[in-house]
Amino acid sequence: MVATPERLGDLWVSRELLRNLVGKELKVRYKGSALGFLWSLITPLLMTAIFTVVFATFLRIELGDGNFATFFLSGYLVWQFFSNSVNSSVGAIVANGPLIRKVYFPREVLPLSLVLSQGVHFLLALVATSPLIIYYRGFHPELVPAVLIGLVLLTAFTAGVSMIFAAANVGFRDLQELTQVLFLGWFYATPIIYALFFVEDNAPQFLPLIRANPMTWFVELFRRMLYGTPAREGLNPPPAWPPLESWLVCGAWAVGALAVGYWLFNRLAVTFAKEV
Amino acid sequence: MAEADDAPAIVVEDLHEIFRIYKERPPGLKERLYRFRRADFTEFHALNGVSLTIRHGESVGLVGHNGSGKSTLLKCMARILPADRGTVTLGGRVATLLELGAGFQPDLSGRENVYLNGSILGLTRREIAASFDSIVDFAGVRDFIDTPVRNYSSGMYVRLGFAIAVHVDPDILLVDEVLSVGDAGFQEKSLARMRSFSERGKTVVLVSHALEAVESLCDRVVVLEHGQVIFDGPTEQALTSYRRRLAGGASEPAAVEAVETDPDGDGRARVADAVLTVPGHDPAGPVPSGAKARLDVDVRAVDDLVGRGGLTVGMVLRRPDLPSAVYETRTSWRVTYVAPPPPGESLRASFEFELNVLTGTYLIDVLLGNAETDVVHDVRRDAAKIVVRAEEHDAGIAPLGVRITLDNPEGVWPPESEPPPMSEGGPRFHPARPRAGHDQRQPQG
Ligand SMILES: Nc1ncnc2c1ncn2[C@@H]1O[C@H](COP(=O)(O)OP(=O)(O)O)[C@@H](O)[C@H]1O
C-alpha cells in the first residue's frame, strides 16, 4: 500500500495532465457543433420549461409571490452538475482501459477531469441563466463569493462520489447500468421540483430520509443563494447568504466524501491495470 | 544525468505477479454473487520471484519467448502493475514507452494532441513548448499540425506519437516493442535516438523480439522463462545461449515443435473424448465437399495445472497419403486463452469448420498442450475419420472455385448443339453424350 502523501505528490506532478484532460473534455464536446456551449444549456432550460408547465400550470404548485421556473432551475443546475459528473465518471476507468494498461499516471485524474469539466459547464450555465434569475429574483453581487465557496464544496463532494463509483465499477461492471436507475430515484429524493416545506407539511415522516440525503443540503445551499427562500404563500424572501448550519453540513459532506472517495479509489486503483 | 551516488536505478526484489483468469469476463454483479459459492477464476503466475538490480547508465535488454513475462516485468517497473509480492524501487524519473500516441484524441488537432500525449508521458507544459518545433519537424507533420489527427495517415500518426515519445527525457527509459512498428528507416531512427540516450548516461530497459536491436543497444541482457530469470549477463553470452535455446526447440512457436519432441504427451491432462458430427449427414458415409462439420473435444485435467499457463487445444486434418497436414489450428494460435480446469474436471472445445476438401479419406488428430511452454499433455491420433466425396470434375486436395473461360469462340459449342466434324477441329467424342452410337466415332489407334 503506497502512502498517501506520496500519492498526493503524484497527483500534484500530474496537474498538467489533469488540466489537459479537462481541456480535452471541453474541446471535444464543443468541437464540431455549431451551437457549441448552447447545447449544454438546452437541457436545463427544456427541463425547466417542462416542469414549470406541469407543476406550476397543471398542478398549480403554490409558491406565493415566487417564480417556479427560477425555483426549479436553481436546484436543477446543481443536480445536473452532480448527476452528469458521476454518470460520466462511473465508466471512465473501464473506458480508458487501453491507456491504463499502457501508461502510468495517477488514475484519479480520469474521474477528476470529468468532474472539473462538468464544473466548468455548471459555471457557464450559471452565468448564462443569470439574466433570468436576476430578472425574477433580483441582483445580488454580494453573494458571488458565497456561490464560489459553494461551488468548491459541491465539486469536492461530487469528486468524492465520482471516485467511489468509478473505482467500484471496475469490480462490478453492472454498476454503470445501476447508476442511471439509482440517480433517477435520487433525483426525486432531492428537493428539486419541490421545496422542503411540502414534505414538512404533507409527509413529515419522510423528512429524516430527505435530510439524510447530502444533495438536499447542496440544493438548499445553492437555492438560498440563487433563488432565496421558497414559501407557500406571500413573500418568498430574496437570495441571501446561507445559514451557518448549511455551510457546516455541506462542508462535512464534502470533506467526508472526498476523503473516503480518494482513499477507496487509491486502494482499488493499484489493480486497475490488471482488471480492465 | 546519472545520480551522483551509487544508488541503483531500478531494484527488483523477489517480484511475483499473479493474474486471475476469470472464466467469464468482465465480472458483473451476477458473477460476483456466484463467486461467493465457487471460485470461478484460476491464478496464473506471470512473474515468479524475479530479482535484479539495474545501475544508472546501464542498457538492459529483456528477452524471452512469448508469455515469458517480459512485458509484465516492464509494467511492474513502470508502476503500471502492482507487485503481488516483492518490491520494485526506482531511483529517478521514469518514462515508459509501451505504445506510441497513447491517448491520442482523434477529434483534437495534432498540436493539442502533442500537449495531451506529452503530459500523459509526464512532460510539463514548458518542456513540451520548448521542444514543440523539434517534435513537429521530427514527425514531419508541420503542414497538418492544426488538423484533427483523425485525418492523419497511420504513418503520420505513428511518427507524431514517436516524435513526442523520443522527446521525453527521463533518467530511466522503459521501452516495449515500440521499435517493431514502422519501416526500417523509422526503426533505425528510433534506435539511434535510444543509443544517444544511453550514451548520455541514462538507463534504458528494452523489451524486444528484435535480437539485433538488443544486440546493438544493450550491454546486458536478462533472459526470462516462465516468469523467472534464467540468464542475466553480458549481451553476447546471453544472446548466444538464448539463440541456442530457440534453435533447440525449447521455445516458440511453442507447441508446434513439441509434437516432434514428445509425441505422446506427459498425460497431465487428457483428451477424454473427440466427436465429429456433420449435421445433415451420416459421418460414417461419404459427405459432400463443403459440408459443415463440428468437432467437440472434451479435455480433462489430470494434475493440477492451474497457474502453469493456459492450455491449447489443436486439431489437425490430414490425408494419410499426403506428407503434410491439410489443415491445422490451435486455440492458442487464435489468441484464445483456455484456462486449465481444476484436476478431475473437464472442459469442451468445439471446432466448427467446413470440409472444403476434395474426394478422399481424411483423418483428424487432436492435440492438447500448454499454450506457453513446449509441454504436450496428450495427443489423440486418428480421433475421427471422414470420407469426402466431391464432384467428379476436380482432382487434388482443395476445391479452388475454378471457373474456366476460353478465348476461342469457334471451338466452344453448347452441349445441345452438334459439334463440327473432327476434320474441322471437332472432338473425337462429345463429352456430354454417351460414346456408343455417336456417328463421329473414329476407329481407335
Ligand atoms: N491482464 C492480464 N490478465 C491475465 N493474464 C495476463 C495479463 N497480462 C499478461 N498476462 C499473461 O501473463 C503472461 C506473461 O505475459 P507478458 O509479460 O506479456 O509476456 P511477454 O511480454 O514475455 O510475451 C502471458 O501468459 C499472458 O497471457
Side-chain angles (χ1 to χ4, degrees), chain B residues 45-101:
Chain B
H45 292 245
L47 292 179
N48 239 321
V50 171
S51 298
L52 55 120
T53 302
I54 296 172
R55 286 178 305 279
H56 281 285
E58 272 191 297
S59 303
V60 179
L62 297 180
V63 303
H65 59 73
N66 272 333
S68 58
K70 307 180 296 287
S71 306
T72 305
L73 178 56
L74 200 77
K75 285 181 180 178
C76 287
M77 291 176 175
R79 299 195 296 165
I80 294 169
L81 288 173
D84 285 311
R85 181 133 53 88
T87 54
V88 176
T89 317
L90 298 165
R93 184 174 138 175
V94 181
T96 322
L97 302 184
L98 275 84
E99 190 173 72
L100 296 178

Side-chain angles (χ1 to χ4, degrees), chain B residues 133-145 152 156 159-160 163 189:
Chain B
D133 287 322
S134 159
I135 290 173
V136 174
D137 290 335
F138 199 103
V141 295
R142 185 160 290 283
D143 293 343
F144 303 94
I145 196 63
Y152 280 28
M156 287 159 70
R159 283 204 307 276
L160 186 61
K189 219 164 148 185

Side-chain angles (χ1 to χ4, degrees), chain A residues 102, chain B residues 62-68 70-71 74 96-100 158 162 174-182 186-187 190 194 205-211 213-214 242 252:
Chain A
K102 297 280 183 177
Chain B
L62 297 180
V63 303
H65 59 73
N66 272 333
S68 58
K70 307 180 296 287
S71 306
L74 200 77
T96 322
L97 302 184
L98 275 84
E99 190 173 72
L100 296 178
V158 170
F162 179 72
L174 308 174
V175 187
D176 187 356
E177 291 292 359
V178 181
L179 294 174
S180 61
V181 300
F186 181 87
Q187 294 186 11
S190 65
M194 285 206 285
V205 180
L206 170 71
V207 165
S208 183
H209 276 114
L211 296 186
V214 173
Y242 179 61
E252 63 192 352

